[in-house]
Amino acid sequence: MLSGHIKRARLIYNPTSGREEIKRRLPDLLQRLERGGIETSCHATSGEGDATLAAAEAVERGYDLIIAAGGDGTLHEVINGMSEKENRPPLGILPLGTTNDFARALGIPRNWEYACDLIIEGYTRPIDVGLANQRYFINIAGGGSLTELTYEVPSKLKTMIGQLAYYMKGLEKMTRLRPTELRIQARGHEEIHEEIMLFLICNSNSVAGFEKLAPDAQLDDGMFDVVILRKCNLPEFIRIATMALRGEHLNDSHIVHLRTDHLQITTPDYVQLNLDGEYGGTLPCTFSMLPSHLNIFVDESGASSYR
């Protein structure tokens, strides 16, 4: 449990998150934190980028900790507001969104009471953060037509049917998959210059709700796990996707898997970037790893899980 004087926390939450539980549970949540020695003030986000501004302000005002309540989108904005600052307080996560890949990777419980208790207990773990040009990401960066799914799916549809919305959109896009010419220069590896279907730059093993796309990725090893899908036809893509669900895809000839802490990707084409499920600009881009950049509240015993 957090010791000493009362801790001041800033809770940043998305009132339109996929799970409306936070609005209904907010008084109970604040009471639970207060009983644990955490005096919490709230900020309800009002639009895109607002959580980033709120997090940056919380750091500047010297809060002892920041709590992000919502899904991966809210978390992405919060870490962008925190990561550019020097004196970064620890970050608590309440995974109340439609997708919570990062919380899943860290074993932070979906149950808000248990997630609050992790914050109250006060144990933190240093976590790597990725930098893509001037934007930060904590879980994954990607490019290619399939990686555009997360910001193409309407928020109302995500709220109604959750993760299934992404799969529905994926089926719709599969017939339009096209390769893109990329030049990838990764530190410690030979240059790759060929047609690519998609690339994923992973900080954790939890990607798009699956835990085996980058099975060996670690949040604190100072390295990206990069998964690249070479040019293939639709039947080959379906075969590889099926293998990926079982974690058996990395040895396929269409897959390039490498580990690095720095890479540059350029293209003559128009390629959008996906950062933690959000639009992240376009290529070209330089990706750099920032080791142990944020401290996240987690279960000290490692026994808790997302489920």
Side-chain angles (χ1 to χ4, degrees), residues 100-225:
N100 306 284
D101 275 331
F102 189 71
R104 184 193 303 271
L106 276 178
I108 296 174
R110 295 180 69 190
N111 179 289
W112 68 270
E113 294 171 303
Y114 298 153
C116 277
D117 289 346
L118 290 188
I119 297 171
I120 292 169
E121 288 164 7
Y123 179 79
T124 62
R125 174 183 170 187
I127 298 299
D128 302 335
V129 172
L131 179 63
N133 286 344
Q134 301 303 313
R135 292 190 62 175
Y136 301 88
F137 64 99
I138 201 165
N139 198 50
I140 185 171
S145 55
L146 270 186
T147 64
E148 299 167 11
L149 289 180
T150 50
Y151 44 84
E152 286 188 2
V153 176
S155 59
K156 186 174 181 180
L157 186 61
K158 286 192 286 187
T159 300
M160 291 172 59
I161 61 175
Q163 197 77 28
L164 180 60
Y166 297 107
Y167 306 149
M168 292 171 58
K169 193 70 176 181
L171 291 173
E172 175 188 320
K173 291 182 68 71
M174 283 177 67
T175 57
R176 294 185 277 126
L177 285 175
R178 297 290 184 272
T180 303
E181 180 188 347
L182 295 184
R183 186 184 298 272
I184 302 174
Q185 298 170 295
R187 183 166 17 227
H189 300 273
E190 294 185 2
E191 179 181 291
I192 297 170
H193 185 193
E194 59 181 285
E195 290 189 303
I196 301 296
M197 304 301 289
L198 63 89
F199 64 87
L200 301 173
I201 301 171
C202 307
N203 192 29
S204 86
N205 67 342
S206 182
V207 179
F210 301 105
E211 299 178 2
K212 296 181 179 180
L213 291 184
D216 298 323
Q218 301 290 328
L219 286 160
D220 56 2
D221 62 357
M223 302 290 281
F224 295 123
D225 273 60

Side-chain angles (χ1 to χ4, degrees), residues 30-302:
L30 296 178
Q31 185 179 63
R32 194 177 190 91
L33 290 171
E34 185 175 357
R35 287 176 177 171
I38 303 175
E39 183 182 88
T40 308
S41 63
C42 297
H43 178 94
T45 59
S46 58
E48 184 178 351
D50 188 50
T52 296
L53 296 175
E57 180 187 14
V59 176
E60 292 293 334
R61 293 177 62 179
Y63 279 91
D64 298 306
L65 62 147
I66 295 173
I67 302 172
D72 289 328
T74 302
L75 178 60
H76 173 74
E77 288 201 11
V78 168
I79 67 107
N80 268 273
M82 297 178 65
S83 293
E84 64 181 1
K85 305 296 183 181
E86 289 188 11
N87 300 311
R88 299 176 293 276
L91 174 64
I93 300 172
L94 300 179
L96 302 175
T98 303
T99 58
N100 306 284
D101 275 331
F102 189 71
R104 184 193 303 271
L106 276 178
I108 296 174
R110 295 180 69 190
N111 179 289
W112 68 270
E113 294 171 303
Y114 298 153
C116 277
D117 289 346
L118 290 188
I119 297 171
I120 292 169
E121 288 164 7
Y123 179 79
T124 62
R125 174 183 170 187
I127 298 299
D128 302 335
V129 172
L131 179 63
N133 286 344
Q134 301 303 313
R135 292 190 62 175
Y136 301 88
F137 64 99
I138 201 165
N139 198 50
I140 185 171
S145 55
L146 270 186
T147 64
E148 299 167 11
L149 289 180
T150 50
Y151 44 84
E152 286 188 2
V153 176
S155 59
K156 186 174 181 180
L157 186 61
K158 286 192 286 187
T159 300
M160 291 172 59
I161 61 175
Q163 197 77 28
L164 180 60
Y166 297 107
Y167 306 149
M168 292 171 58
K169 193 70 176 181
L171 291 173
E172 175 188 320
K173 291 182 68 71
M174 283 177 67
T175 57
R176 294 185 277 126
L177 285 175
R178 297 290 184 272
T180 303
E181 180 188 347
L182 295 184
R183 186 184 298 272
I184 302 174
Q185 298 170 295
R187 183 166 17 227
H189 300 273
E190 294 185 2
E191 179 181 291
I192 297 170
H193 185 193
E194 59 181 285
E195 290 189 303
I196 301 296
M197 304 301 289
L198 63 89
F199 64 87
L200 301 173
I201 301 171
C202 307
N203 192 29
S204 86
N205 67 342
S206 182
V207 179
F210 301 105
E211 299 178 2
K212 296 181 179 180
L213 291 184
D216 298 323
Q218 301 290 328
L219 286 160
D220 56 2
D221 62 357
M223 302 290 281
F224 295 123
D225 273 60
V226 184
V227 179
I228 302 164
L229 176 60
R230 291 183 162 120
K231 179 181 179 181
C232 61
N233 57 37
L234 185 56
E236 289 170 334
F237 176 82
I238 294 173
R239 176 182 60 80
I240 295 167
T242 303
M243 294 174 63
L245 296 179
R246 302 191 298 266
E248 300 171 354
H249 58 298
L250 295 184
N251 292 324
D252 189 274
S253 61
H254 290 89
I255 296 291
V256 177
H257 175 227
L258 55 90
R259 303 183 77 246
T260 186
D261 62 352
H262 183 89
L263 67 159
Q264 293 178 307
I265 303 181
T266 58
T267 179
D269 301 323
Y270 177 81
V271 177
Q272 295 182 351
L273 291 174
N274 182 309
L275 303 179
D276 294 333
E278 304 297 314
Y279 175 71
T282 59
L283 292 179
C285 187
T286 298
F287 301 89
S288 302
M289 179 62 85
L290 305 176
S292 302
H293 197 68
L294 288 178
N295 289 302
I296 311 289
F297 291 103
V298 297
D299 181 5
E300 183 175 7
S301 70

